[in-house]
Tab-separated table of all heavy atoms in Angstrom:
chain	number	residue	atom	x	y	z
A	414	GLY	N	-20.204	1.529	-0.111
A	414	GLY	CA	-20.299	2.188	1.186
A	414	GLY	C	-21.262	3.354	1.181
A	414	GLY	O	-22.088	3.518	2.095
A	415	ALA	N	-21.186	4.205	0.142
A	415	ALA	CA	-22.074	5.364	0.063
A	415	ALA	C	-23.518	4.947	-0.122
A	415	ALA	O	-24.426	5.491	0.521
A	415	ALA	CB	-21.631	6.272	-1.086
A	416	GLN	N	-23.763	3.960	-0.987
A	416	GLN	CA	-25.136	3.549	-1.258
A	416	GLN	C	-25.777	2.868	-0.044
A	416	GLN	O	-26.956	3.079	0.246
A	416	GLN	CB	-25.174	2.615	-2.461
A	416	GLN	CG	-24.982	3.317	-3.798
A	416	GLN	CD	-26.101	4.300	-4.084
A	416	GLN	OE1	-25.951	5.500	-3.936
A	416	GLN	NE2	-27.241	3.794	-4.487
A	417	ILE	N	-25.014	2.051	0.651
A	417	ILE	CA	-25.554	1.421	1.861
A	417	ILE	C	-25.873	2.482	2.910
A	417	ILE	O	-26.922	2.431	3.577
A	417	ILE	CB	-24.559	0.378	2.413
A	417	ILE	CG1	-24.473	-0.824	1.463
A	417	ILE	CG2	-24.983	-0.082	3.805
A	417	ILE	CD1	-23.455	-1.860	1.872
A	418	SER	N	-25.002	3.473	3.045
A	418	SER	CA	-25.247	4.553	4.004
A	418	SER	C	-26.491	5.340	3.620
A	418	SER	O	-27.320	5.687	4.480
A	418	SER	CB	-24.031	5.484	4.070
A	418	SER	OG	-22.876	4.776	4.480
A	419	GLY	N	-26.627	5.631	2.329
A	419	GLY	CA	-27.812	6.343	1.869
A	419	GLY	C	-29.081	5.545	2.099
A	419	GLY	O	-30.119	6.098	2.479
A	420	ALA	N	-29.012	4.239	1.885
A	420	ALA	CA	-30.186	3.380	2.111
A	420	ALA	C	-30.557	3.360	3.588
A	420	ALA	O	-31.747	3.391	3.943
A	420	ALA	CB	-29.888	1.964	1.612
A	421	LEU	N	-29.542	3.342	4.478
A	421	LEU	CA	-29.813	3.362	5.915
A	421	LEU	C	-30.575	4.624	6.319
A	421	LEU	O	-31.545	4.574	7.091
A	421	LEU	CB	-28.506	3.283	6.700
A	421	LEU	CG	-27.916	1.900	6.952
A	421	LEU	CD1	-26.535	2.033	7.589
A	421	LEU	CD2	-28.820	1.070	7.842
A	422	LEU	N	-30.127	5.769	5.806
A	422	LEU	CA	-30.800	7.012	6.147
A	422	LEU	C	-32.206	7.065	5.557
A	422	LEU	O	-33.136	7.579	6.188
A	422	LEU	CB	-29.988	8.215	5.652
A	422	LEU	CG	-28.593	8.423	6.255
A	422	LEU	CD1	-28.075	9.809	5.894
A	422	LEU	CD2	-28.600	8.247	7.763
A	423	THR	N	-32.364	6.526	4.346
A	423	THR	CA	-33.681	6.550	3.699
A	423	THR	C	-34.710	5.752	4.487
A	423	THR	O	-35.815	6.228	4.761
A	423	THR	CB	-33.580	6.001	2.261
A	423	THR	OG1	-32.717	6.849	1.490
A	423	THR	CG2	-34.953	5.967	1.590
A	424	VAL	N	-34.354	4.542	4.880
A	424	VAL	CA	-35.316	3.696	5.594
A	424	VAL	C	-35.554	4.197	7.021
A	424	VAL	O	-36.550	3.821	7.643
A	424	VAL	CB	-34.857	2.220	5.633
A	424	VAL	CG1	-34.732	1.663	4.235
A	424	VAL	CG2	-33.526	2.078	6.376
A	425	SER	N	-34.656	5.045	7.527
A	425	SER	CA	-34.801	5.544	8.896
A	425	SER	C	-35.428	6.935	8.951
A	425	SER	O	-35.461	7.547	10.012
A	425	SER	CB	-33.432	5.581	9.587
A	425	SER	OG	-32.846	4.297	9.630
A	426	THR	N	-35.869	7.436	7.804
A	426	THR	CA	-36.524	8.744	7.768
A	426	THR	C	-38.029	8.563	7.888
A	426	THR	O	-38.659	7.951	7.020
A	426	THR	CB	-36.200	9.480	6.460
A	426	THR	OG1	-34.782	9.620	6.326
A	426	THR	CG2	-36.847	10.863	6.446
A	427	PRO	N	-38.645	9.065	8.959
A	427	PRO	CA	-40.093	8.888	9.144
A	427	PRO	C	-40.894	9.530	8.016
A	427	PRO	O	-40.448	10.509	7.397
A	427	PRO	CB	-40.368	9.588	10.486
A	427	PRO	CG	-39.044	9.658	11.166
A	427	PRO	CD	-38.023	9.778	10.086
A	428	SER	N	-42.044	8.976	7.736
A	428	SER	CA	-42.920	9.515	6.700
A	428	SER	C	-43.291	10.960	7.028
A	428	SER	O	-43.662	11.285	8.153
A	428	SER	CB	-44.181	8.658	6.592
A	428	SER	OG	-45.050	9.184	5.624
A	429	GLY	N	-43.169	11.832	6.028
A	429	GLY	CA	-43.488	13.235	6.219
A	429	GLY	C	-42.357	14.060	6.786
A	429	GLY	O	-42.496	15.269	6.961
A	430	SER	N	-41.223	13.439	7.082
A	430	SER	CA	-40.065	14.148	7.633
A	430	SER	C	-38.893	14.035	6.662
A	430	SER	O	-38.836	13.134	5.829
A	430	SER	CB	-39.672	13.554	8.988
A	430	SER	OG	-38.449	14.108	9.446
A	431	SER	N	-37.968	14.967	6.775
A	431	SER	CA	-36.747	14.918	5.973
A	431	SER	C	-35.527	14.612	6.828
A	431	SER	O	-34.401	14.618	6.320
A	431	SER	CB	-36.538	16.256	5.251
A	431	SER	OG	-36.406	17.311	6.199
A	432	VAL	N	-35.755	14.339	8.107
A	432	VAL	CA	-34.647	14.096	9.038
A	432	VAL	C	-34.627	12.630	9.441
A	432	VAL	O	-35.575	12.129	10.052
A	432	VAL	CB	-34.782	14.976	10.290
A	432	VAL	CG1	-33.624	14.702	11.250
A	432	VAL	CG2	-34.817	16.449	9.904
A	433	PRO	N	-33.537	11.912	9.119
A	433	PRO	CA	-33.443	10.502	9.538
A	433	PRO	C	-33.308	10.390	11.054
A	433	PRO	O	-32.913	11.342	11.740
A	433	PRO	CB	-32.168	10.006	8.835
A	433	PRO	CG	-31.810	11.063	7.855
A	433	PRO	CD	-32.362	12.343	8.368
A	434	ALA	N	-33.629	9.237	11.575
A	434	ALA	CA	-33.416	8.974	13.000
A	434	ALA	C	-31.917	8.996	13.306
A	434	ALA	O	-31.095	8.564	12.486
A	434	ALA	CB	-34.004	7.625	13.377
A	435	GLU	N	-31.559	9.515	14.474
A	435	GLU	CA	-30.145	9.589	14.840
A	435	GLU	C	-29.499	8.210	14.877
A	435	GLU	O	-28.314	8.051	14.563
A	435	GLU	CB	-29.999	10.258	16.209
A	435	GLU	CG	-28.562	10.454	16.640
A	435	GLU	CD	-28.442	11.158	17.976
A	435	GLU	OE1	-29.495	11.409	18.609
A	435	GLU	OE2	-27.308	11.466	18.395
A	436	SER	N	-30.289	7.201	15.207
A	436	SER	CA	-29.750	5.840	15.268
A	436	SER	C	-29.224	5.368	13.922
A	436	SER	O	-28.342	4.497	13.865
A	436	SER	CB	-30.832	4.869	15.757
A	436	SER	OG	-31.963	4.895	14.893
A	437	ALA	N	-29.741	5.934	12.828
A	437	ALA	CA	-29.261	5.534	11.507
A	437	ALA	C	-27.799	5.933	11.313
A	437	ALA	O	-27.003	5.185	10.725
A	437	ALA	CB	-30.124	6.165	10.419
A	438	PHE	N	-27.435	7.116	11.802
A	438	PHE	CA	-26.042	7.550	11.705
A	438	PHE	C	-25.148	6.660	12.574
A	438	PHE	O	-24.059	6.255	12.143
A	438	PHE	CB	-25.907	9.005	12.140
A	438	PHE	CG	-26.466	9.992	11.157
A	438	PHE	CD1	-27.727	10.522	11.335
A	438	PHE	CD2	-25.731	10.380	10.057
A	438	PHE	CE1	-28.247	11.437	10.438
A	438	PHE	CE2	-26.226	11.284	9.142
A	438	PHE	CZ	-27.500	11.817	9.332
A	439	VAL	N	-25.596	6.386	13.781
A	439	VAL	CA	-24.806	5.526	14.668
A	439	VAL	C	-24.610	4.160	14.032
A	439	VAL	O	-23.484	3.623	13.993
A	439	VAL	CB	-25.504	5.388	16.038
A	439	VAL	CG1	-24.750	4.388	16.915
A	439	VAL	CG2	-25.604	6.739	16.736
A	440	THR	N	-25.686	3.595	13.491
A	440	THR	CA	-25.592	2.282	12.844
A	440	THR	C	-24.641	2.322	11.661
A	440	THR	O	-23.813	1.412	11.479
A	440	THR	CB	-26.987	1.825	12.374
A	440	THR	OG1	-27.864	1.748	13.494
A	440	THR	CG2	-26.908	0.468	11.697
A	441	GLY	N	-24.738	3.378	10.851
A	441	GLY	CA	-23.870	3.492	9.678
A	441	GLY	C	-22.402	3.556	10.040
A	441	GLY	O	-21.564	2.861	9.457
A	442	PHE	N	-22.055	4.384	11.034
A	442	PHE	CA	-20.652	4.492	11.449
A	442	PHE	C	-20.149	3.191	12.087
A	442	PHE	O	-19.011	2.767	11.839
A	442	PHE	CB	-20.486	5.649	12.433
A	442	PHE	CG	-20.550	7.013	11.806
A	442	PHE	CD1	-21.472	7.946	12.259
A	442	PHE	CD2	-19.695	7.360	10.777
A	442	PHE	CE1	-21.537	9.212	11.694
A	442	PHE	CE2	-19.758	8.626	10.192
A	442	PHE	CZ	-20.683	9.552	10.657
A	443	VAL	N	-20.987	2.560	12.903
A	443	VAL	CA	-20.568	1.312	13.546
A	443	VAL	C	-20.355	0.214	12.518
A	443	VAL	O	-19.346	-0.522	12.566
A	443	VAL	CB	-21.608	0.876	14.603
A	443	VAL	CG1	-21.313	-0.546	15.089
A	443	VAL	CG2	-21.604	1.828	15.781
A	444	LEU	N	-21.277	0.068	11.568
A	444	LEU	CA	-21.112	-0.944	10.516
A	444	LEU	C	-19.840	-0.697	9.720
A	444	LEU	O	-19.098	-1.635	9.400
A	444	LEU	CB	-22.321	-0.941	9.596
A	444	LEU	CG	-23.607	-1.587	10.130
A	444	LEU	CD1	-24.737	-1.437	9.124
A	444	LEU	CD2	-23.370	-3.067	10.437
A	445	ALA	N	-19.590	0.572	9.390
A	445	ALA	CA	-18.365	0.899	8.647
A	445	ALA	C	-17.131	0.539	9.460
A	445	ALA	O	-16.135	0.039	8.922
A	445	ALA	CB	-18.361	2.385	8.294
A	446	GLY	N	-17.181	0.788	10.775
A	446	GLY	CA	-16.053	0.438	11.627
A	446	GLY	C	-15.823	-1.057	11.707
A	446	GLY	O	-14.682	-1.525	11.670
A	447	ILE	N	-16.918	-1.820	11.803
A	447	ILE	CA	-16.791	-3.281	11.867
A	447	ILE	C	-16.213	-3.828	10.573
A	447	ILE	O	-15.315	-4.683	10.577
A	447	ILE	CB	-18.164	-3.920	12.165
A	447	ILE	CG1	-18.619	-3.559	13.588
A	447	ILE	CG2	-18.112	-5.426	11.994
A	447	ILE	CD1	-20.036	-3.988	13.908
Side-chain angles (χ1 to χ4, degrees):
Q416 285 297 102
I417 291 176
S418 300
L421 276 173
L422 297 193
T423 297
V424 299
S425 301
T426 302
S428 178
S430 172
S431 61
V432 180
E435 183 178 5
S436 59
F438 288 98
V439 175
T440 301
F442 286 124
V443 169
L444 285 177
I447 293 172

